[in-house]
Short mmCIF file of all heavy atoms in Angstrom, two decimals:
data_model
loop_
_atom_site.label_atom_id
_atom_site.label_comp_id
_atom_site.label_asym_id
_atom_site.label_seq_id
_atom_site.Cartn_x
_atom_site.Cartn_y
_atom_site.Cartn_z
N LEU B 1 -0.81 210.42 -13.54
CA LEU B 1 0.21 209.44 -13.94
C LEU B 1 1.25 210.05 -14.87
O LEU B 1 2.42 209.68 -14.83
CB LEU B 1 -0.46 208.21 -14.58
CG LEU B 1 -1.21 207.31 -13.57
CD1 LEU B 1 -2.03 206.25 -14.30
CD2 LEU B 1 -0.25 206.65 -12.59
N GLU B 2 0.82 211.00 -15.70
CA GLU B 2 1.80 211.68 -16.56
C GLU B 2 2.79 212.48 -15.71
O GLU B 2 3.98 212.55 -16.02
CB GLU B 2 1.08 212.58 -17.57
CG GLU B 2 0.47 211.80 -18.73
CD GLU B 2 -0.17 212.69 -19.79
OE1 GLU B 2 -1.00 213.54 -19.43
OE2 GLU B 2 0.18 212.53 -20.97
N GLU B 3 2.30 213.07 -14.63
CA GLU B 3 3.19 213.80 -13.72
C GLU B 3 4.20 212.86 -13.06
O GLU B 3 5.31 213.26 -12.71
CB GLU B 3 2.38 214.50 -12.62
CG GLU B 3 1.64 215.73 -13.10
CD GLU B 3 0.67 216.27 -12.03
OE1 GLU B 3 0.70 215.74 -10.89
OE2 GLU B 3 -0.09 217.19 -12.35
N LYS B 4 3.83 211.57 -12.92
CA LYS B 4 4.71 210.58 -12.29
C LYS B 4 5.62 209.88 -13.30
O LYS B 4 6.28 208.89 -12.97
CB LYS B 4 3.86 209.54 -11.54
CG LYS B 4 3.02 210.13 -10.41
CD LYS B 4 3.89 210.79 -9.35
CE LYS B 4 3.07 211.40 -8.23
NZ LYS B 4 3.91 212.12 -7.25
N GLY B 5 5.63 210.35 -14.53
CA GLY B 5 6.57 209.81 -15.52
C GLY B 5 5.97 208.96 -16.60
O GLY B 5 6.68 208.48 -17.49
N LEU B 6 4.65 208.73 -16.55
CA LEU B 6 4.01 207.95 -17.62
C LEU B 6 3.96 208.79 -18.90
O LEU B 6 3.61 209.97 -18.86
CB LEU B 6 2.59 207.55 -17.21
CG LEU B 6 1.90 206.56 -18.16
CD1 LEU B 6 2.44 205.15 -17.96
CD2 LEU B 6 0.38 206.55 -17.94
N ILE B 7 4.33 208.18 -20.00
CA ILE B 7 4.24 208.85 -21.30
C ILE B 7 3.13 208.19 -22.09
O ILE B 7 3.13 206.97 -22.27
CB ILE B 7 5.58 208.72 -22.08
CG1 ILE B 7 6.73 209.35 -21.30
CG2 ILE B 7 5.45 209.33 -23.48
CD1 ILE B 7 8.10 208.93 -21.81
N ILE B 8 2.15 208.96 -22.52
CA ILE B 8 1.08 208.41 -23.37
C ILE B 8 1.51 208.63 -24.82
O ILE B 8 1.45 209.73 -25.35
CB ILE B 8 -0.27 209.06 -23.04
CG1 ILE B 8 -0.68 208.59 -21.63
CG2 ILE B 8 -1.33 208.67 -24.06
CD1 ILE B 8 -1.85 209.26 -21.02
N SER B 9 2.03 207.54 -25.41
CA SER B 9 2.65 207.66 -26.73
C SER B 9 1.71 207.36 -27.88
O SER B 9 2.02 207.62 -29.04
CB SER B 9 3.89 206.76 -26.82
OG SER B 9 3.56 205.43 -26.46
N GLY B 10 0.53 206.81 -27.56
CA GLY B 10 -0.44 206.52 -28.62
C GLY B 10 -1.85 206.67 -28.10
O GLY B 10 -2.16 206.22 -26.99
N THR B 11 -2.71 207.32 -28.89
CA THR B 11 -4.12 207.50 -28.50
C THR B 11 -5.00 207.27 -29.73
O THR B 11 -4.52 207.20 -30.85
CB THR B 11 -4.40 208.92 -27.98
OG1 THR B 11 -4.14 209.85 -29.04
CG2 THR B 11 -3.55 209.26 -26.77
N SER B 12 -6.32 207.19 -29.48
CA SER B 12 -7.26 207.19 -30.60
C SER B 12 -7.15 208.56 -31.29
O SER B 12 -6.69 209.53 -30.68
CB SER B 12 -8.68 206.95 -30.09
OG SER B 12 -9.01 207.87 -29.07
N PRO B 13 -7.55 208.68 -32.54
CA PRO B 13 -7.38 209.95 -33.27
C PRO B 13 -8.00 211.15 -32.56
O PRO B 13 -7.51 212.27 -32.69
CB PRO B 13 -8.06 209.68 -34.61
CG PRO B 13 -7.94 208.20 -34.81
CD PRO B 13 -8.06 207.60 -33.43
N ASP B 14 -9.08 210.91 -31.79
CA ASP B 14 -9.71 212.03 -31.08
C ASP B 14 -9.07 212.29 -29.71
O ASP B 14 -9.54 213.11 -28.93
CB ASP B 14 -11.22 211.78 -30.90
CG ASP B 14 -11.50 210.51 -30.08
OD1 ASP B 14 -10.54 209.88 -29.60
OD2 ASP B 14 -12.69 210.15 -29.94
N ASP B 15 -7.97 211.56 -29.42
CA ASP B 15 -7.20 211.74 -28.19
C ASP B 15 -7.95 211.24 -26.95
O ASP B 15 -7.52 211.47 -25.83
CB ASP B 15 -6.81 213.22 -28.00
CG ASP B 15 -5.47 213.35 -27.30
OD1 ASP B 15 -4.61 212.49 -27.55
OD2 ASP B 15 -5.28 214.29 -26.51
N TYR B 16 -9.04 210.54 -27.14
CA TYR B 16 -9.87 210.13 -26.00
C TYR B 16 -9.38 208.83 -25.36
O TYR B 16 -9.26 208.72 -24.14
CB TYR B 16 -11.33 210.00 -26.44
CG TYR B 16 -12.26 209.53 -25.34
CD1 TYR B 16 -12.52 210.36 -24.24
CD2 TYR B 16 -12.84 208.27 -25.38
CE1 TYR B 16 -13.36 209.92 -23.22
CE2 TYR B 16 -13.67 207.84 -24.36
CZ TYR B 16 -13.93 208.67 -23.28
OH TYR B 16 -14.75 208.24 -22.27
N LEU B 17 -9.11 207.81 -26.17
CA LEU B 17 -8.71 206.51 -25.65
C LEU B 17 -7.19 206.36 -25.66
O LEU B 17 -6.54 206.64 -26.67
CB LEU B 17 -9.33 205.38 -26.48
CG LEU B 17 -10.87 205.31 -26.49
CD1 LEU B 17 -11.34 204.32 -27.53
CD2 LEU B 17 -11.39 204.93 -25.12
N VAL B 18 -6.63 205.91 -24.55
CA VAL B 18 -5.18 205.68 -24.47
C VAL B 18 -4.87 204.34 -25.11
O VAL B 18 -5.43 203.31 -24.74
CB VAL B 18 -4.70 205.72 -22.99
CG1 VAL B 18 -3.25 205.28 -22.90
CG2 VAL B 18 -4.89 207.12 -22.43
N GLU B 19 -3.98 204.36 -26.10
CA GLU B 19 -3.62 203.14 -26.83
C GLU B 19 -2.23 202.61 -26.46
O GLU B 19 -1.99 201.42 -26.52
CB GLU B 19 -3.66 203.42 -28.35
CG GLU B 19 -5.04 203.70 -28.90
CD GLU B 19 -5.83 202.44 -29.20
OE1 GLU B 19 -5.40 201.36 -28.77
OE2 GLU B 19 -6.88 202.54 -29.85
N MET B 20 -1.30 203.53 -26.12
CA MET B 20 0.07 203.10 -25.82
C MET B 20 0.64 203.93 -24.68
O MET B 20 0.40 205.14 -24.61
CB MET B 20 0.98 203.25 -27.06
CG MET B 20 0.50 202.48 -28.27
SD MET B 20 1.63 202.60 -29.67
CE MET B 20 2.89 201.42 -29.21
N VAL B 21 1.40 203.27 -23.80
CA VAL B 21 2.05 203.99 -22.70
C VAL B 21 3.53 203.61 -22.64
O VAL B 21 3.92 202.50 -23.03
CB VAL B 21 1.38 203.68 -21.33
CG1 VAL B 21 -0.08 204.10 -21.33
CG2 VAL B 21 1.51 202.21 -20.95
N GLU B 22 4.33 204.56 -22.12
CA GLU B 22 5.76 204.33 -21.90
C GLU B 22 6.12 204.96 -20.56
O GLU B 22 5.25 205.51 -19.87
CB GLU B 22 6.57 204.94 -23.06
CG GLU B 22 6.24 204.32 -24.41
CD GLU B 22 6.93 204.99 -25.59
OE1 GLU B 22 7.96 205.70 -25.38
OE2 GLU B 22 6.45 204.81 -26.73
N LEU B 23 7.40 204.89 -20.19
CA LEU B 23 7.83 205.41 -18.90
C LEU B 23 9.13 206.19 -19.06
O LEU B 23 10.07 205.72 -19.70
CB LEU B 23 8.04 204.25 -17.91
CG LEU B 23 8.33 204.61 -16.46
CD1 LEU B 23 7.17 205.39 -15.83
CD2 LEU B 23 8.61 203.34 -15.65
N GLU B 24 9.15 207.38 -18.46
CA GLU B 24 10.37 208.20 -18.50
C GLU B 24 11.51 207.48 -17.77
O GLU B 24 11.29 206.71 -16.84
CB GLU B 24 10.11 209.55 -17.80
CG GLU B 24 9.24 210.50 -18.61
CD GLU B 24 8.95 211.78 -17.85
OE1 GLU B 24 9.43 211.92 -16.69
OE2 GLU B 24 8.22 212.63 -18.39
N ASN B 25 12.72 207.77 -18.20
CA ASN B 25 13.94 207.27 -17.54
C ASN B 25 13.97 205.75 -17.40
O ASN B 25 14.36 205.20 -16.38
CB ASN B 25 14.09 207.91 -16.14
CG ASN B 25 14.10 209.43 -16.22
OD1 ASN B 25 14.72 210.01 -17.12
ND2 ASN B 25 13.37 210.08 -15.32
N HIS B 26 13.49 205.09 -18.44
CA HIS B 26 13.55 203.63 -18.48
C HIS B 26 14.02 203.24 -19.87
O HIS B 26 13.59 203.82 -20.87
CB HIS B 26 12.15 203.05 -18.20
CG HIS B 26 12.16 201.56 -17.94
ND1 HIS B 26 12.40 200.63 -18.91
CD2 HIS B 26 11.96 200.86 -16.78
CE1 HIS B 26 12.35 199.40 -18.37
NE2 HIS B 26 12.08 199.52 -17.07
N PRO B 27 14.94 202.25 -19.97
CA PRO B 27 15.49 201.92 -21.30
C PRO B 27 14.43 201.47 -22.32
O PRO B 27 14.50 201.82 -23.49
CB PRO B 27 16.49 200.79 -21.01
CG PRO B 27 16.16 200.29 -19.64
CD PRO B 27 15.56 201.45 -18.90
N TRP B 28 13.46 200.66 -21.88
CA TRP B 28 12.40 200.23 -22.81
C TRP B 28 11.23 199.69 -22.00
O TRP B 28 11.26 198.58 -21.48
CB TRP B 28 12.91 199.14 -23.76
CG TRP B 28 12.18 199.12 -25.09
CD1 TRP B 28 12.57 199.71 -26.25
CD2 TRP B 28 10.93 198.45 -25.38
NE1 TRP B 28 11.65 199.47 -27.25
CE2 TRP B 28 10.64 198.70 -26.74
CE3 TRP B 28 10.04 197.69 -24.64
CZ2 TRP B 28 9.49 198.20 -27.36
CZ3 TRP B 28 8.89 197.20 -25.25
CH2 TRP B 28 8.63 197.45 -26.61
N PHE B 29 10.19 200.49 -21.89
CA PHE B 29 9.00 200.15 -21.11
C PHE B 29 7.83 200.59 -21.96
O PHE B 29 7.58 201.78 -22.11
CB PHE B 29 9.05 200.93 -19.78
CG PHE B 29 7.94 200.63 -18.80
CD1 PHE B 29 8.13 199.72 -17.77
CD2 PHE B 29 6.72 201.30 -18.88
CE1 PHE B 29 7.12 199.47 -16.84
CE2 PHE B 29 5.71 201.06 -17.94
CZ PHE B 29 5.91 200.15 -16.93
N LEU B 30 7.14 199.63 -22.59
CA LEU B 30 6.09 200.00 -23.54
C LEU B 30 4.90 199.06 -23.39
O LEU B 30 5.05 197.84 -23.38
CB LEU B 30 6.63 199.96 -24.98
CG LEU B 30 5.69 200.49 -26.07
CD1 LEU B 30 6.48 201.14 -27.19
CD2 LEU B 30 4.80 199.38 -26.65
N GLY B 31 3.73 199.64 -23.26
CA GLY B 31 2.50 198.87 -23.22
C GLY B 31 1.56 199.35 -24.31
O GLY B 31 1.49 200.54 -24.60
N CYS B 32 0.84 198.41 -24.92
CA CYS B 32 -0.13 198.80 -25.93
C CYS B 32 -1.45 198.08 -25.66
O CYS B 32 -1.47 196.92 -25.25
CB CYS B 32 0.37 198.50 -27.35
SG CYS B 32 0.94 196.82 -27.61
N GLN B 33 -2.55 198.79 -25.88
CA GLN B 33 -3.87 198.25 -25.60
C GLN B 33 -4.31 197.27 -26.69
O GLN B 33 -5.20 196.46 -26.51
CB GLN B 33 -4.88 199.40 -25.48
CG GLN B 33 -6.25 199.00 -25.00
CD GLN B 33 -6.23 198.29 -23.65
OE1 GLN B 33 -6.09 198.90 -22.62
NE2 GLN B 33 -6.36 196.96 -23.67
N PHE B 34 -3.62 197.31 -27.82
CA PHE B 34 -3.96 196.43 -28.96
C PHE B 34 -3.05 195.20 -28.98
O PHE B 34 -2.20 195.01 -28.11
CB PHE B 34 -3.87 197.21 -30.27
CG PHE B 34 -2.61 198.02 -30.41
CD1 PHE B 34 -1.41 197.43 -30.77
CD2 PHE B 34 -2.62 199.40 -30.18
CE1 PHE B 34 -0.25 198.18 -30.91
CE2 PHE B 34 -1.46 200.16 -30.31
CZ PHE B 34 -0.28 199.54 -30.68
N HIS B 35 -3.24 194.36 -29.99
CA HIS B 35 -2.48 193.12 -30.15
C HIS B 35 -1.62 193.18 -31.42
O HIS B 35 -2.05 192.70 -32.48
CB HIS B 35 -3.44 191.92 -30.24
CG HIS B 35 -4.10 191.58 -28.95
ND1 HIS B 35 -3.58 190.67 -28.07
CD2 HIS B 35 -5.25 192.03 -28.39
CE1 HIS B 35 -4.38 190.57 -27.01
NE2 HIS B 35 -5.40 191.39 -27.18
N PRO B 36 -0.40 193.70 -31.32
CA PRO B 36 0.43 193.81 -32.53
C PRO B 36 0.85 192.46 -33.09
O PRO B 36 1.17 192.35 -34.27
CB PRO B 36 1.65 194.60 -32.03
CG PRO B 36 1.71 194.34 -30.56
CD PRO B 36 0.28 194.21 -30.12
N GLU B 37 0.81 191.42 -32.26
CA GLU B 37 1.28 190.10 -32.71
C GLU B 37 0.46 189.55 -33.87
O GLU B 37 0.94 188.72 -34.64
CB GLU B 37 1.27 189.10 -31.55
CG GLU B 37 -0.09 188.68 -31.02
CD GLU B 37 -0.63 189.57 -29.90
OE1 GLU B 37 -0.20 190.74 -29.79
OE2 GLU B 37 -1.50 189.10 -29.14
N PHE B 38 -0.79 190.04 -34.02
CA PHE B 38 -1.64 189.51 -35.10
C PHE B 38 -1.21 190.03 -36.48
O PHE B 38 -1.70 189.53 -37.49
CB PHE B 38 -3.11 189.87 -34.85
CG PHE B 38 -3.70 189.20 -33.63
CD1 PHE B 38 -4.64 189.86 -32.85
CD2 PHE B 38 -3.32 187.92 -33.27
CE1 PHE B 38 -5.19 189.25 -31.72
CE2 PHE B 38 -3.86 187.29 -32.15
CZ PHE B 38 -4.80 187.97 -31.37
#
């Protein structure tokens, strides 16, 4: 997926769990595994 343009912008400190993803060549595409609204 990284080869297809996915950017892994956030991980657990040990780099094992993916916490945040983005997408190349997109104005704003961001997903997070956590709940920032809280």
Side-chain angles (χ1 to χ4, degrees):
L1 288 171
E2 283 184 308
E3 286 171 7
K4 298 299 179 184
L6 189 76
I7 300 164
I8 291 171
S9 53
T11 63
S12 54
D14 60 4
D15 213 34
Y16 178 68
L17 298 170
V18 172
E19 293 277 12
M20 302 183 79
V21 300
E22 299 174 19
L23 187 62
E24 287 177 0
N25 304 318
H26 192 289
W28 208 96
F29 184 97
L30 187 147
C32 52
Q33 189 56 77
F34 47 79
H35 288 268
E37 69 270 23
F38 294 145

